[in-house]
């Protein structure tokens, strides 16, 4: 181990593995270490016995839940936007060849006490029962404007400079009601708060276009895809990629202490009495607790069921977003559901996650609006974990720390964090112009 590396990566969570793979492909000499004897860190996948041990303190699981090894339950489950940045990264690095994807059946939004399919096009707007007749027509006009908008075609701008006018101003031009704005902003554009309303509209329009283009890609009921056997395959796929390009992986390395020189710059990592030298350290917050700050907490419930979520057209895989305004909360709530159709549970079993930014210490009460949508549940596990962000300056200490995973059930925020860190580490933007046809996904099951 007494060698010198360009970068040492600590932790094999998804973010760390993507960065390790990207940096290896760039020709950097990478050493990747983890104190655990398994891949995935906080974003690992667990079988039923491991879930039971983690949340119930015992390894004896009830017979009616089926065989433990047939469960592959992601601890941080997130769907991927079919045309989104993560899929582009997977194609750019050829990691797609290690994975099989399947389209996700449904994308829904909670509005006035009911679940509705998220309308993403002018045609869907007219069919949607989210809006009354006149509102449907107004929404249809807005969707047509977004669909036809091309940044380099002035005719499609209808006199609006979206880099200057705010989203609120664009929406007011079409006279949309608050409930319509709510589902467009949170379930289509995937904003987590309402600051976007007073920011340039270009970001929201691009997000809406990404959603609609991703939806059209596989002709499924949602814009999302998800790997068979869950996300646990992803860190290992990037580990393989890194190894192909000369990266070195070491699991089960205790302590992993980052060493600094007199000026406070990271110069290496020590484990079991051996020190590997490096120019930069990349890690998750648990490896450098004195260089991060707590910014919030995530409350989540993991539920095992034997049926699809009611009112989702018997979808085997689905995302439901509950906008904060609908719940009179400070943050949105998210429901993620997957099943044996994606090989994450035994036949007939469904896994649902309900997650949100915690506002109390009582997840079972706080998550009730999401859990109430699930119908009868066989088993529920509750959990709260702290969310950290880096508080250091990497230019001074050469330490690049990832953010903790947020409550969202899609990958858009995670990838943003990875791409920003990649730019800080390498001083360049990652080129994501790729042929999207290089990633295919099986059609969702007919229920």
């Amino acid at each position: 181990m007494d060698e010198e590396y360009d970068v040492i990566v600590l932790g094999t969570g998804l973010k760390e593995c993507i960065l390790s793979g990207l940096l290896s492909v760039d020709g950097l000499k990478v050493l990747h270490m983890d104190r655990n004897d398994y891949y995935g860190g906080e974003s690992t996948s667990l079988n039923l016995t491991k879930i039971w041990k983690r949340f119930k303190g015992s390894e004896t699981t009830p017979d009616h839940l089926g065989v433990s090894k047939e469960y592959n339950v992601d601890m941080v489950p997130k769907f991927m936007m079919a045309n989104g940045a993560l899929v582009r990264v997977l194609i750019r690095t050829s990691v797609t060849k290690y994975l099989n994807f399947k389209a996700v059946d449904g994308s829904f939004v909670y509005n006035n006490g009911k679940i509705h399919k998220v309308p993403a096009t002018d045609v869907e707007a007219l069919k949607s029962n989210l809006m009354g007749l006149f509102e449907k027509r107004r929404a249809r006009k807005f969707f047509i404007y977004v669909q036809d908008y091309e940044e380099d075609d002035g005719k499609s701008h209808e006199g609006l400079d979206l880099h200057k006018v705010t989203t609120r101003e664009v929406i007011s031009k079409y006279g949309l009601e608050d409930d319509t704005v709510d589902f467009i902003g949170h379930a289509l554009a995937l904003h987590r708060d309402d600051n976007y309303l007073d920011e340039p509209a270009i970001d929201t329009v691009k997000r809406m276009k990404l959603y609609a283009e991703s939806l059209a890609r596989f002709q499924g009921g949602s814009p999302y895809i998800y790997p068979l056997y869950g996300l646990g395959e992803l860190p290992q796929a990037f580990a393989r990629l890194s190894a192909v390009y000369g990266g070195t992986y070491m699991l089960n390395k205790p302590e992993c202490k980052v060493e600094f020189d007199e000026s406070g710059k990271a110069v290496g990592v020590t484990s079991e009495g051996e020190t590997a030298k490096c120019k930069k350290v990349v890690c998750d917050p648990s490896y450098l607790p004195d260089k991060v700050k707590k910014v919030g907490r995530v409350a989540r419930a993991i539920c095992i069921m034997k049926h699809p979520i009611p009112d989702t057209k018997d979808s085997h895989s689905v995302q439901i977003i509950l906008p904060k305004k609908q719940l009179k909360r400070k943050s949105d709530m998210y429901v993620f559901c997957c099943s044996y159709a994606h090989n994450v549970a035994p036949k007939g079993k469904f896994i649902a996650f309900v997650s949100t930014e915690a506002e109390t210490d009582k997840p079972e009460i706080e998550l009730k609006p999401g859990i109430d949508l699930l119908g009868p549940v066989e088993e529920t596990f509750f959990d709260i974990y702290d969310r950290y962000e880096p508080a250091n300056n990497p230019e001074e200490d050469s330490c690049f720390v990832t953010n903790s995973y947020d409550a969202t059930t899609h990958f858009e925020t995670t990838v943003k964090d990875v791409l920003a860190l990649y730019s800080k580490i390498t001083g360049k933007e990652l080129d994501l112009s790729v042929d999207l046809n290089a990633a295919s996904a099986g059609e969702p099951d007919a229920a």
Side-chain angles (χ1 to χ4, degrees):
M1 194 169 113
D2 294 321
E3 282 187 59
E4 182 147 1
Y5 297 85
D6 294 310
V7 180
I8 295 180
V9 181
L10 301 177
T12 51
L14 185 57
K15 292 183 184 184
E16 292 75 39
C17 286
I18 296 174
L19 284 165
S20 167
L22 289 172
L23 297 170
S24 299
V25 170
D26 276 354
L28 297 181
K29 190 175 179 185
V30 177
L31 170 63
H32 201 145
M33 298 161 72
D34 196 315
R35 61 169 84 87
N36 299 313
D37 59 358
Y38 56 84
Y39 284 101
E42 292 301 313
S43 54
T44 191
S45 292
L46 301 179
N47 62 28
L48 188 60
T49 306
K50 285 180 175 165
I51 293 170
W52 216 261
K53 187 174 181 185
R54 180 163 173 173
F55 295 105
K56 306 261 187 190
S58 140
E59 290 189 7
T60 314
T61 61
D63 293 341
H64 71 272
L65 292 180
V67 180
S68 169
K69 69 174 189 299
E70 290 183 10
Y71 284 86
N72 295 293
V73 181
D74 294 323
M75 289 297 97
V76 184
K78 292 179 189 285
F79 291 132
M80 299 176 204
M81 194 70 85
N83 283 15
L86 179 56
V87 170
R88 289 172 181 275
V89 169
L90 295 176
I91 294 169
R92 173 130 186 336
T93 53
S94 298
V95 165
T96 39
K97 68 185 173 207
Y98 301 121
L99 301 163
N100 289 309
F101 292 98
K102 193 167 189 169
V104 171
D105 294 338
S107 174
F108 293 82
V109 63
Y110 178 83
N111 186 279
N112 289 322
K114 290 187 179 153
I115 301 174
H116 304 266
K117 183 180 190 304
V118 177
T121 64
D122 58 315
V123 178
E124 289 187 344
L126 285 179
K127 290 185 196 162
S128 176
N129 55 2
L130 265 169
M131 301 167 278
L133 180 62
F134 295 111
E135 182 68 358
K136 282 181 183 181
R137 289 176 183 166
R138 289 188 287 266
R140 178 177 177 265
K141 283 183 181 165
F142 178 56
F143 280 138
I144 289 173
Y145 169 68
V146 171
Q147 279 159 228
D148 292 347
Y149 181 87
E150 296 294 339
E151 209 164 350
D152 47 8
D153 176 10
K155 286 192 198 125
S156 71
H157 297 185
E158 293 185 12
L160 297 171
D161 182 349
L162 296 191
H163 291 276
K164 290 183 179 161
V165 298
T166 65
T167 310
R168 194 186 297 278
E169 288 168 312
V170 173
I171 283 169
S172 67
K173 182 185 170 188
Y174 290 89
L176 300 179
E177 294 169 4
D178 282 354
D179 269 358
T180 308
V181 174
D182 206 28
F183 84 71
I184 286 174
H186 290 257
L188 247 175
L190 303 177
H191 290 295
R192 288 183 296 160
D193 54 41
D194 290 333
N195 297 343
Y196 74 94
L197 287 166
D198 298 306
E199 290 167 356
I202 186 69
D203 179 45
T204 296
V205 166
K206 281 184 173 174
R207 286 166 174 246
M208 288 178 69
K209 285 178 81 69
L210 172 63
Y211 188 105
E213 287 159 9
S214 296
L215 179 67
R217 176 110 180 267
F218 296 120
Q219 264 74 57
S222 89
Y224 301 108
I225 60 175
Y226 193 66
L228 291 178
Y229 303 100
L231 297 173
E233 300 293 302
L234 264 178
Q236 295 183 54
F238 276 101
R240 280 195 210 102
L241 172 77
S242 181
V244 166
Y245 283 88
T248 305
Y249 267 74
M250 294 182 183
L251 294 180
N252 209 7
K253 297 295 285 182
E255 292 167 5
C256 291
K257 180 173 176 282
V258 180
E259 304 288 354
F260 297 90
D261 65 14
E262 4 7 291
S263 69
K265 264 197 190 318
V267 290
V269 175
T270 300
S271 174
E272 299 179 301
E274 291 183 290
T275 302
K277 297 189 181 71
C278 66
K279 301 181 182 90
K280 290 169 181 165
V281 169
V282 175
C283 66
D284 72 45
S286 70
Y287 286 88
L288 284 172
D290 57 338
K291 291 193 181 286
V292 295
K293 59 184 179 198
K294 182 175 159 182
V295 290
R297 303 164 82 211
V298 173
R300 61 183 173 180
I302 307 166
C303 305
I304 301 174
M305 315 183 297
K306 53 183 177 188
H307 59 83
I309 296 175
D311 304 320
T312 61
K313 301 188 175 71
D314 289 333
S315 296
H316 277 235
S317 48
V318 64
Q319 173 178 265
I320 307 167
I321 292 181
L322 294 78
K324 59 181 189 162
K325 200 180 278 183
Q326 300 292 325
L327 304 177
K328 299 184 171 53
R329 288 174 48 81
K330 293 181 197 146
S331 45
D332 294 353
M333 193 171 292
Y334 302 86
V335 175
F336 166 104
C337 180
C338 229
S339 75
Y340 61 94
H342 272 85
N343 301 350
V344 300
K347 189 148 183 65
K349 299 294 184 192
F350 291 72
I351 309 287
F353 272 73
V354 182
S355 56
T356 190
E357 187 71 14
E359 294 170 16
T360 70
D361 286 326
K362 297 190 169 65
E364 51 281 2
I365 296 169
E366 200 167 346
L367 296 168
K368 192 173 184 305
I371 293 170
D372 285 350
L373 300 176
L374 303 180
V377 168
E378 291 191 276
E379 195 62 57
T380 305
F381 310 90
F382 289 103
D383 186 26
I384 289 189
Y385 65 87
D386 292 336
R387 210 161 55 75
Y388 297 96
E389 285 180 3
N392 65 318
N393 179 354
E395 287 180 15
E396 291 173 3
D397 59 17
S398 302
C399 296
F400 299 83
V401 187
T402 56
N403 295 339
S404 304
Y405 296 92
D406 61 26
T408 60
T409 44
H410 53 77
F411 261 115
E412 298 309 288
T413 48
T414 300
V415 182
K416 217 171 165 184
D417 182 31
V418 167
L419 296 177
L421 265 183
Y422 174 84
S423 295
K424 280 183 187 167
I425 295 163
T426 62
K428 63 183 183 184
E429 299 287 314
L430 184 65
D431 178 13
L432 290 180
S433 49
V434 294
D435 175 12
L436 284 161
N437 293 322
S440 59
E443 292 303 313
D445 284 338

